[in-house]
Amino acid sequence: GALLALSKPPGLPVQGRPGELSLVALLPALRRRLGLPAELHVVKAPARECSGLVLLSGCRRATEQLQRFFTDARRRGQYPATYCAVTVGVPAEAEGEIRAGLCWQQQGDTAAVVLVPAPGRHSLARKEVKSTLTRYRVLGTAGGCALLQLQPRTAFPEQLLVHLTLLLCPALGDHEHSSRVGRVLGVPFLLPPEAAPTRTQVLDEELLCRLGLSLQQLRRLPLHLHLQQLELP
């Protein structure tokens, strides 16, 4: 009764900048449209660039209880969020784990999430670097692409996108991290961040044709990372 679930399109932020269309800005109109008596609150939602499940609540107590559950779940060995991604490339193994140290790094005027190959004990203890883990499973493949199920066992911004580049299979529509994966004679390899500036994702002609996209349209290709499932207590 207190809960409402909907599917968010990619590119819609949860809390936008002033004057920007956002999920929070739409909540009063949604409440009126559905004739709900109480104000709606966001319990859980995917990041701006992702699509997928948004969980809303019309009861502040239920909101607080569920947010505590999501915060504490990993400590209890529960992993309530499951994502799906379409990747450019197929992982070498059908299922497995991706482990990596991640941190924020200032690059010019912006901060970016970067890989730390061998994080030291002290940097982890000081929380300068976060040790991250994602489980993945290949659900299907076609035309050099794969459909992956992803279960993050830790929480860090852009974790799933960075982990997919470590598999050498960036998410389709990832215009932020996909430049880290280079190719020589069709064989993918990982580039260091300083050699891979952010750019529109590069796709081969065959895949562009299958998607029905021109090079000019490619930069508008949305990210194919979708919050598919949330398990509730």
Side-chain angles (χ1 to χ4, degrees), residues 110-121:
T110 61
V113 177
V114 297
L115 172 69
V116 181
R121 216 173 44 226

Side-chain angles (χ1 to χ4, degrees), residues 28-119:
L30 180 63
R31 175 190 168 191
R32 289 193 299 272
R33 176 79 60 89
L34 298 175
L36 300 175
E39 182 184 353
L40 288 169
H41 311 281
V42 179
V43 179
K44 188 82 170 169
R48 171 199 288 257
E49 64 274 10
C50 301
S51 61
L53 268 172
V54 171
L55 189 63
L56 305 172
S57 170
C59 169
R60 191 170 291 280
R61 185 161 168 265
T63 301
E64 291 169 354
Q65 286 179 337
L66 284 166
Q67 286 177 338
R68 273 198 303 273
F69 164 75
F70 287 124
T71 301
D72 298 339
R74 290 184 184 88
R75 293 179 209 151
R76 298 192 297 267
Q78 296 172 301
Y79 310 100
T82 301
Y83 288 77
C84 276
V86 177
T87 62
V88 181
V90 179
E93 303 290 335
E95 60 182 289
E97 292 183 345
I98 311 155
R99 296 176 183 270
L102 301 179
C103 75
W104 285 102
Q105 186 180 89
Q106 198 67 28
Q107 296 181 350
D109 296 332
T110 61
V113 177
V114 297
L115 172 69
V116 181

Side-chain angles (χ1 to χ4, degrees), residues 3-220:
L3 297 179
L4 175 68
L6 53 88
S7 186
K8 183 184 87 66
L12 179 69
V14 177
Q15 291 198 345
R17 294 179 283 273
E20 184 181 32
L21 182 67
S22 68
L23 181 63
V24 168
L26 291 169
L27 292 183
L30 180 63
R31 175 190 168 191
R32 289 193 299 272
R33 176 79 60 89
L34 298 175
L36 300 175
E39 182 184 353
L40 288 169
H41 311 281
V42 179
V43 179
K44 188 82 170 169
R48 171 199 288 257
E49 64 274 10
C50 301
S51 61
L53 268 172
V54 171
L55 189 63
L56 305 172
S57 170
C59 169
R60 191 170 291 280
R61 185 161 168 265
T63 301
E64 291 169 354
Q65 286 179 337
L66 284 166
Q67 286 177 338
R68 273 198 303 273
F69 164 75
F70 287 124
T71 301
D72 298 339
R74 290 184 184 88
R75 293 179 209 151
R76 298 192 297 267
Q78 296 172 301
Y79 310 100
T82 301
Y83 288 77
C84 276
V86 177
T87 62
V88 181
V90 179
E93 303 290 335
E95 60 182 289
E97 292 183 345
I98 311 155
R99 296 176 183 270
L102 301 179
C103 75
W104 285 102
Q105 186 180 89
Q106 198 67 28
Q107 296 181 350
D109 296 332
T110 61
V113 177
V114 297
L115 172 69
V116 181
R121 216 173 44 226
H122 296 302
S123 61
L124 290 169
R126 290 194 298 266
K127 298 186 178 178
E128 296 167 355
V129 178
K130 173 81 177 265
S131 180
T132 59
L133 171 64
T134 300
R135 281 204 58 79
Y136 77 90
R137 185 160 64 93
V138 177
L139 300 178
T141 63
C145 294
L147 176 65
L148 265 60
Q149 185 184 76
L150 302 166
Q151 197 170 57
R153 301 297 177 99
T154 53
F156 197 85
E158 301 174 26
Q159 171 180 320
L160 295 178
L161 297 179
V162 176
H163 282 187
L164 288 173
T165 65
L166 294 178
L167 276 182
L168 303 178
C169 299
L172 184 64
D174 179 4
H175 306 298
E176 185 75 24
H177 302 279
S178 61
S179 57
R180 292 280 318 275
V181 180
R183 287 183 180 274
V184 173
L185 299 176
V187 178
F189 66 97
L190 198 66
L191 287 160
E194 59 272 14
T198 299
R199 66 181 184 195
T200 301
Q201 188 174 34
V202 175
L203 302 178
D204 62 38
E205 285 187 26
E206 185 182 347
L207 184 52
L208 276 174
C209 186
R210 287 169 69 93
L211 292 168
L213 294 174
S214 67
L215 282 173
Q216 291 72 31
Q217 294 170 317
L218 187 54
R219 63 187 176 84
R220 296 200 299 272

